[in-house]
Amino acid sequence: MSSRALKKLHGKDDLAIIEKSLTSTKAHKTNSGANSSEDEDRSEEEFVSTPKKQNLFSLVLEDEELSSGNDEAVQEIIPNASKSTKKKKNKKKNKRNKKLVEENIDELLARSGSLPPTITPAISRAGDSFDPLSIQLKNLNPENEMKKKFGQKVVGENSRRRQTHKTYKKTVHLVTPDPGWHPVTKTGFEMNLVGREGECHVFQIEHKSEYQKIQNKFWDAVDSMAPENLMAVLQLHAYHIDTLLQLSEVCRMSEDPQMAAELIERALYAFESSFHPLFNMTTGKCLLKYKVWENRGFFLALFRHLINVGNRGCYRTSLEYCKLLLGLDPEADPLCALLFIDFYSLRSDEYTYLIQLYTLWKDSRNLRILPNFAFSVPLAMFHTSQPDTPQRTGADEMLQESLMMFPGLLQPLLEECGVNTEADKSINKHFGEHKQQRQPASLRQLVHLYVGRTGSCWKAPECIEWLEANVKKCCEIGESNPERFSQLTSRGYSIYRGVAPPNVCRHLLMSDNKKAIADLPQEVTSSSILSYDPLPPADTVRSYDRQSNRVRAVSNQGFLSAFINSLRPNFDVNALMAEDEEAELDGAAGGAGNLRRAGAGLINAVRELLNNIELVGPERDDEDAQLPPNDEWD
């Protein structure tokens, strides 16, 4: 504790007593060891006998001032310092006394009992245990990762330019608001604390009455099949979540990823502006239930944002967002974040995190049976181990077991890496195309998803060489012990004999992997899929229902109307094709060009609307203005 803080805590007179007791203690220790203990007891009694109550909280407020004024405070604490002309001697004496105070003051305060427990520095033990869901806010900013990769000079110029035009005083961490964005004064929804589950707080997003009216207008706009009605909703509320999510999907389909990413960032900015004061993203102990309909927009926005960030090459940032997404509802994992947390761990070189996550959850979360963990974890172990070590041996054994359990994954993976094994009869016998055809549909989905996403992590020459060596060992096991090979393969097939769970289907739909989507069950493909609420859970909880004020749909209004009409729950593509068969035949020649022009026209309209929209709010002074505000797997 600094000298000025001690003076404020005990007063000038008490500090003189402390100095005197310290000096006498040192003198007695050098002269006589026996008498020193008695002097210490006497000085301690004098110190304890003169307590003085002070406002301890004021000490915290002066931390910044204390660092700059320590020299003056030391001189005040030592009132009896000599003022002779021998400056060097006085200077040495002051330094000696200052050092003596700093070394012994904590001990004296502890003996006196004057230091409250809240001021005593505590030793953090958070690093002693591994928490897979804790995050660091600095890792949520992709610019920090880009600075590490490309340097401060490359990325810093744009950052300084944005800071000079920054108009937002509120600190946000999920996204960096663009200077051209309108401030969030009122989002129309709020986050409330609704309960506890063990050590975790449970929160819920609630829509206010005005937001509910706009939500009903959004539903009417979807039913009307008129894109101008969807634009009108955004005009009424520039941060309406479902409208931003839907228009972002339109921009993505129209091959405008920049505009699609900006709309998602606007949605996340609106959510963070409405966070509850107790909602702490860093702990992993703040829950949002996906079954609550109002909460889903936050899940969907996080999912799409982390994919957008990963497409920019910021894989460490995407991993942090992935942990945040998984921590919101870890038991249900509604968007199956576990299916790509291994990919972002490998691409960001977080091999130790992936291994620790697997070790912690392999039994409780059945990570052993997921193909992505079965292959990514031994790859991480390979990168963190040296040849001829127990760690490398463990990686070899785990990879061999995974190859025999999921033999249909090898050939697609080798094709992705550019390795041709057609001439190898042994590999074709144990890992040939017939193994792929025998895979259940639910397993084939995950195989296509893993190879298409994580195949690039295996392309390094050393990884290919290691993989081929273990494939040869598996072939030897298949020849010498075919029963073991067959048992492991049968076990992998039997696990995926049922229909994929809804959270896996949601992940596949939002990941947009065409090969994986092709194997989705008919129950999913035949139902209506809403991009702003894909495959809602059966136990959905709603705080309000839609008003029965629907607009009659007008048929045959072009691509945009058909696209918005496809969002309706009762959309029937066969009926639409039968109704417009003649119109499609007449306009077949220019159909592709019309689709592109219609999509580009809508994106341009959205961009112009967001740039020119004006929010009407209450009058306020500039100084006081409020700123942004089925069977499943066993």
Side-chain angles (χ1 to χ4, degrees):
M1 185 176 290
S2 60
S3 304
R4 182 173 296 181
L6 293 173
K7 181 179 178 182
K8 187 172 183 64
L9 178 64
H10 295 283
K12 187 174 181 180
D13 296 336
D14 293 343
L15 287 177
I17 296 175
I18 294 174
E19 181 197 357
K20 181 178 179 181
S21 62
L22 292 175
T23 307
S24 61
T25 301
K26 184 178 180 181
H28 282 288
K29 282 184 178 180
T30 50
N31 295 333
S32 59
N35 296 331
S36 60
S37 59
E38 297 177 0
D39 293 338
E40 287 179 359
D41 295 338
R42 190 182 304 109
S43 62
E44 180 180 350
E45 293 175 1
E46 293 177 358
F47 174 74
V48 176
S49 62
T50 58
K52 187 175 182 179
K53 296 182 179 179
Q54 295 290 338
N55 185 6
L56 299 180
F57 293 97
S58 61
L59 302 178
V60 182
L61 300 177
E62 295 190 1
D63 285 343
E64 297 181 356
E65 300 178 1
L66 296 178
S67 60
S68 62
N70 284 338
D71 295 337
E72 293 181 12
V74 172
Q75 295 178 3
E76 293 177 359
I77 292 176
I78 309 174
N80 297 327
S82 175
K83 297 182 180 180
S84 62
T85 56
K86 299 179 181 180
K87 295 182 179 181
K88 293 183 179 180
K89 184 176 180 180
N90 292 338
K91 190 174 183 180
K92 291 181 180 180
K93 182 179 179 181
N94 290 338
K95 287 184 177 181
R96 185 169 57 254
N97 291 334
K98 180 180 178 181
K99 183 177 180 181
L100 183 62
V101 171
E102 291 176 351
E103 290 178 351
N104 296 276
I105 195 65
D106 290 335
E107 180 183 356
L108 288 174
L109 289 175
R111 287 188 296 175
S112 66
S114 300
L115 188 62
T118 55
I119 305 298
T120 304
I123 300 176
S124 176
R125 302 184 181 274
D128 296 343
S129 60
F130 171 68
D131 186 359
L133 301 180
S134 63
I135 65 174
Q136 296 181 1
L137 294 178
K138 65 178 182 180
N139 292 332
L140 293 176
N141 189 351
E143 291 187 357
N144 294 337
E145 184 175 359
M146 295 177 67
K147 289 176 182 178
K148 292 181 180 179
K149 290 183 176 181
F150 306 108
Q152 176 71 27
K153 294 182 179 180
V154 177
V155 185
E157 185 64 27
N158 185 38
S159 301
R160 287 193 296 270
R161 188 181 301 112
R162 297 183 71 173
Q163 290 176 2
T164 55
H165 295 85
K166 188 174 181 181
T167 58
Y168 302 98
K169 293 183 179 180
K170 186 173 182 179
T171 302
V172 291
H173 302 284
L174 292 179
V175 295
T176 302
D178 190 88
W181 292 3
H182 295 279
V184 179
T185 54
K186 293 182 179 179
T187 60
F189 55 87
E190 60 184 2
M191 180 183 289
N192 295 324
L193 179 63
V194 296
R196 291 180 62 93
E197 289 186 2
E199 298 180 354
C200 302
H201 292 88
V202 182
F203 297 87
Q204 180 175 326
I205 295 175
E206 297 181 2
H207 294 172
K208 299 180 181 179
S209 58
E210 292 298 327
Y211 193 90
Q212 294 179 16
K213 295 178 181 179
I214 298 176
Q215 184 67 30
N216 279 279
K217 291 182 182 295
F218 168 77
W219 285 325
D220 292 340
V222 171
D223 282 345
S224 68
M225 298 181 298
E228 57 270 15
N229 292 338
L230 200 62
M231 303 291 293
V233 175
L234 200 62
Q235 178 71 43
L236 291 175
H237 197 298
Y239 290 98
H240 183 259
I241 301 301
D242 285 350
T243 304
L244 293 173
L245 293 176
Q246 187 55 56
L247 290 177
S248 174
E249 192 68 9
V250 175
C251 295
R252 186 188 65 83
M253 295 176 62
S254 302
E255 299 181 355
D256 190 349
Q258 183 177 358
M259 190 65 193
E262 180 181 341
L263 293 171
I264 295 298
E265 291 177 359
R266 287 174 179 262
L268 288 176
Y269 176 56
F271 274 118
E272 189 170 5
S273 300
S274 303
F275 278 176
H276 191 276
L278 295 179
F279 187 82
N280 188 352
M281 298 183 293
T282 62
T283 61
K285 296 182 179 180
C286 295
L287 306 181
L288 281 174
K289 297 299 182 179
Y290 189 81
K291 66 179 181 180
V292 178
W293 169 72
E294 293 86 342
N295 295 343
R296 291 176 199 162
F298 190 44
F299 286 84
L300 300 177
L302 282 176
F303 188 99
R304 294 175 182 172
H305 181 64
L306 72 89
I307 290 181
N308 294 335
V309 172
N311 292 337
R312 296 167 53 188
C314 300
Y315 301 109
R316 182 64 183 86
T317 306
S318 294
L319 175 61
E320 211 71 5
Y321 277 103
C322 189
K323 292 191 287 185
L324 174 60
L325 177 63
L326 180 60
L328 293 177
D329 196 353
E331 295 297 329
D333 192 11
L335 299 182
C336 214
L338 288 175
L339 289 181
F340 54 20
I341 195 170
D342 63 297
F343 167 69
Y344 293 116
S345 298
L346 291 175
R347 293 307 302 265
S348 59
D349 298 337
E350 292 291 329
Y351 305 122
T352 303
Y353 170 80
L354 179 59
I355 296 172
Q356 290 178 335
L357 175 67
Y358 176 79
T359 304
L360 183 64
W361 283 359
K362 63 181 179 180
D363 296 324
S364 60
R365 304 297 295 268
N366 292 327
L367 299 185
R368 300 172 182 267
I369 66 174
L370 293 177
N372 59 315
F373 277 93
F375 283 84
S376 294
V377 172
L379 181 59
M381 297 170 64
F382 169 78
H383 284 295
T384 57
S385 61
Q386 299 295 330
D388 301 328
T389 59
Q391 292 80 7
R392 180 62 61 85
T393 303
D396 294 340
E397 294 176 353
M398 184 175 181
L399 179 60
Q400 294 169 19
E401 183 177 350
S402 301
L403 286 169
M404 291 184 287
M405 183 178 293
F406 307 110
L409 190 145
L410 178 63
Q411 286 291 356
L413 181 60
L414 292 177
E415 293 177 2
E416 182 71 18
C417 298
V419 178
N420 189 358
T421 59
E422 294 180 358
D424 196 322
K425 295 182 179 180
S426 179
I427 294 179
N428 292 330
K429 177 182 178 180
H430 299 286
F431 300 96
E433 187 176 354
H434 63 285
K435 295 290 185 178
Q436 302 179 42
Q437 295 176 353
R438 291 180 55 191
Q439 292 180 131
S442 56
L443 176 58
R444 192 160 51 247
Q445 296 167 8
L446 299 184
V447 168
H448 289 312
L449 182 67
Y450 179 77
V451 172
R453 177 181 287 160
T454 320
S456 59
C457 299
W458 292 84
K459 291 185 177 181
E462 61 273 14
C463 296
I464 292 294
E465 182 180 355
W466 175 65
L467 176 61
E468 290 178 346
N470 284 278
V471 170
K472 291 181 180 179
K473 291 182 180 179
C474 291
C475 293
E476 295 175 359
I477 295 175
E479 296 294 337
S480 61
N481 191 359
E483 293 182 358
R484 181 191 174 193
F485 197 113
S486 178
Q487 288 177 357
L488 289 173
T489 303
S490 300
R491 178 188 172 190
Y493 288 169
S494 62
I495 292 173
Y496 292 92
R497 65 178 180 271
V499 180
N503 61 338
V504 175
C505 295
R506 292 191 201 102
H507 184 98
L508 295 175
L509 289 170
M510 298 185 66
S511 299
D512 198 24
N513 187 302
K514 295 182 180 179
K515 291 184 178 181
I517 294 176
D519 290 321
L520 284 174
Q522 186 178 2
E523 298 89 327
V524 176
T525 56
S526 60
S527 61
S528 176
I529 300 175
L530 308 175
S531 59
Y532 60 89
D533 189 10
L535 302 179
D539 58 346
T540 296
V541 177
R542 290 177 175 269
S543 60
Y544 66 97
D545 296 324
R546 179 181 178 181
Q547 297 178 359
S548 59
N549 182 20
R550 299 189 178 183
V551 181
R552 181 178 178 82
V554 181
S555 62
N556 196 17
Q557 291 191 1
F559 161 72
L560 295 179
S561 300
F563 176 78
I564 296 178
N565 186 32
S566 66
L567 305 177
R568 301 175 58 189
N570 58 349
F571 173 71
D572 188 356
V573 64
N574 296 324
L576 180 64
M577 293 176 62
E579 179 181 355
D580 297 336
E581 181 177 359
E582 182 178 356
E584 290 177 358
L585 293 175
D586 294 339
N594 293 334
L595 292 179
R596 286 192 294 268
R597 286 192 296 270
L602 178 60
I603 293 174
N604 293 333
V606 171
R607 184 178 288 107
E608 183 178 357
L609 175 63
L610 293 175
N611 292 333
N612 300 327
I613 190 172
E614 296 182 0
L615 304 179
V616 180
E619 296 182 358
R620 57 188 187 276
D621 297 335
D622 293 340
E623 297 180 356
D624 299 329
Q626 294 182 356
L627 295 173
N630 329 115
D631 291 336
E632 297 183 357
W633 304 334
D634 296 335

